[in-house]
Amino acid sequence: MKWISLVLFTLLCLLQYRLWFGKHSVPDYWKMKQEVELQARQNANLTQRNGLLKADIEDLKIGLEAIEERARNELGLIKEGETFYRILPPEQ
């Protein structure tokens, strides 16, 4: 009876060691869980950005106003009959 108890206790100790310090242990699980949460946040940010880009693409496909707005902001488009004013900040 003593030997059975000793063998079972030794087996329990070995299993506990593997649970806390071995491969695929509890700390490994916690670390992997944090990595999954980080990846989920990154995916949510990228999904939001993709939605904004899709909306931009649809605006550019549908309306000329969006194209004109982009040309004005990014390329400096000036229509015929318009006057362009550039206001520079004061020098320091």
Side-chain angles (χ1 to χ4, degrees), residues 48-62 66 70:
Q48 181 181 12
R49 191 188 92 197
N50 287 347
L52 292 173
L53 290 174
K54 283 180 185 176
D56 247 0
I57 290 170
E58 289 302 316
D59 282 348
L60 291 173
K61 283 182 180 177
I62 293 173
R70 274 243 165 136

Side-chain angles (χ1 to χ4, degrees), residues 7-69:
V7 169
L8 289 176
F9 180 73
T10 305
L11 184 62
L12 176 66
C13 290
L14 290 173
L15 289 174
Q16 284 293 317
Y17 177 81
R18 184 168 180 201
L19 176 68
W20 292 102
F21 304 109
K23 188 176 181 182
H24 305 299
S25 62
V26 173
D28 288 344
Y29 168 75
W30 291 333
K31 182 180 175 188
M32 190 64 67
K33 189 174 179 182
Q34 288 176 343
E35 289 175 9
V36 168
E37 289 172 0
L38 175 65
Q39 189 65 48
R41 283 194 302 268
Q42 289 175 346
N43 288 349
N45 290 339
L46 291 174
T47 301
Q48 181 181 12
R49 191 188 92 197
N50 287 347
L52 292 173
L53 290 174
K54 283 180 185 176
D56 247 0
I57 290 170
E58 289 302 316
D59 282 348
L60 291 173
K61 283 182 180 177
I62 293 173
L64 293 177
E65 290 113 16
I67 295 172
E68 183 179 327
E69 179 185 343

